[in-house]
Amino acid sequence: MLAAAERGRGAAMESAGQGLLSDAMMDVPVDGAAAARTAAPEGLSAAEEEELRAEIAKVEEEIGTLRQVLAAKERHCGELKRKLGLTPLDGLKQNLSKSWHDVQVSNAYVRTSEKLGEWNDKVTQSDLYLSASSTLEDWNEKLTQSEAYKKTQETLSQAGQKTSAALSNVGSVISRKLGDMRNSATFKSFEDRVGTIKSRVVGSRENSTDGLQSPSAGDKPPQDNAPF
């Protein structure tokens, strides 16, 4: 019983507190415009603030209009390209070419090219570069005049000559073998047989052609005049 009474008393006090808080909030006046508007920066009057806000709204409206115009222009450009048969790849190539041209005529590219040319002249005219070039030329001359280099050249030349001679010998051997085979008794016997068969075939064709020839105009077939 006591516990139930305590719980009832606590609930009543909580309800009374919420009611008082709601009444207090209702009594406080609320200005919608003041709540929505942020505090003006220091040193800026209300008129100046309103003017700036109006300018911002105007600029944002112009930006939206320009975006719509740009989108319409892009659509029109795409339609013209499609009529001309231009693909997106052609447009990409054109953009890349234009970008590369812009890079080449840019001041940074020109200055870099000039600097590289100056560095090249300085390097090629430096004592270190000239000394290295002279040293390389001396090494090349010594190498070409050395005994090892000359022996290597002679060995390669002899190997090429031997290879050519070996190929020539192989061709001669093949030709000689073919001649020997053609002059052999077996090959001649085979040629005789082929000739005999050919003669027989040609002769049989001629005989069949003679047998099929029609009689001449003077040769009349015998008439049978016997009475019935």
Side-chain angles (χ1 to χ4, degrees):
M1 295 291 291
L2 292 175
E6 290 292 335
R7 284 197 299 270
R9 188 180 299 115
M13 292 178 65
E14 184 177 359
S15 299
Q18 291 179 354
L20 292 174
L21 181 61
S22 298
D23 295 338
M25 292 179 65
M26 291 177 63
D27 293 337
V28 176
V30 177
D31 188 359
R37 184 181 304 170
T38 57
E42 295 181 359
L44 190 65
S45 63
E48 291 175 347
E49 182 182 358
E50 290 296 334
E51 184 179 356
L52 291 177
R53 291 183 183 277
E55 185 69 20
I56 290 174
K58 182 180 178 181
V59 171
E60 288 179 349
E61 184 179 358
E62 291 177 353
I63 291 172
T65 304
L66 292 175
R67 286 176 178 174
Q68 293 177 359
V69 173
L70 179 61
K73 294 291 184 181
E74 288 179 349
R75 287 195 298 269
H76 183 59
C77 182
E79 293 175 357
L80 294 177
K81 287 182 178 180
R82 281 194 296 272
K83 290 180 180 179
L84 291 174
L86 299 176
T87 61
L89 182 59
D90 296 330
L92 179 60
K93 290 180 180 179
Q94 185 178 2
N95 292 334
L96 290 176
S97 300
K98 185 177 181 302
S99 300
W100 176 240
H101 177 71
D102 294 340
V103 169
Q104 287 179 329
V105 298
S106 63
N107 294 328
Y109 183 87
V110 173
R111 288 197 299 269
T112 303
S113 300
E114 292 176 354
K115 287 293 182 182
L116 290 176
E118 293 176 359
W119 291 346
N120 184 35
D121 294 339
K122 290 180 180 179
V123 169
T124 54
Q125 294 176 4
S126 63
D127 295 337
L128 180 61
Y129 181 85
L130 296 175
S131 177
S133 300
S134 178
T135 303
L136 290 175
E137 290 178 358
D138 293 341
W139 288 352
N140 184 31
E141 186 177 359
K142 290 179 181 179
L143 178 63
T144 54
Q145 293 179 359
S146 63
E147 293 296 331
Y149 183 83
K150 292 180 180 179
K151 288 181 179 179
T152 302
Q153 280 190 330
E154 292 176 358
T155 303
L156 293 175
S157 178
Q158 293 176 0
Q161 293 176 0
K162 290 180 180 180
T163 303
S164 300
L167 293 175
S168 299
N169 292 332
V170 170
S172 301
V173 170
I174 292 174
S175 299
R176 187 171 62 253
K177 289 292 183 181
L178 291 175
D180 295 341
M181 185 176 67
R182 181 171 293 179
N183 294 326
S184 63
T186 304
F187 190 82
K188 288 183 177 181
S189 176
F190 178 73
E191 281 186 337
D192 293 339
R193 291 180 181 178
V194 172
T196 303
I197 294 172
K198 182 178 180 182
S199 300
R200 290 179 181 178
V201 171
V202 173
S204 62
R205 287 182 178 177
E206 291 178 353
N207 292 333
S208 61
T209 304
D210 294 338
L212 293 175
Q213 289 179 354
S214 60
S216 61
D219 297 336
K220 296 181 180 181
Q223 298 180 355
D224 190 2
N225 297 324
F228 294 103

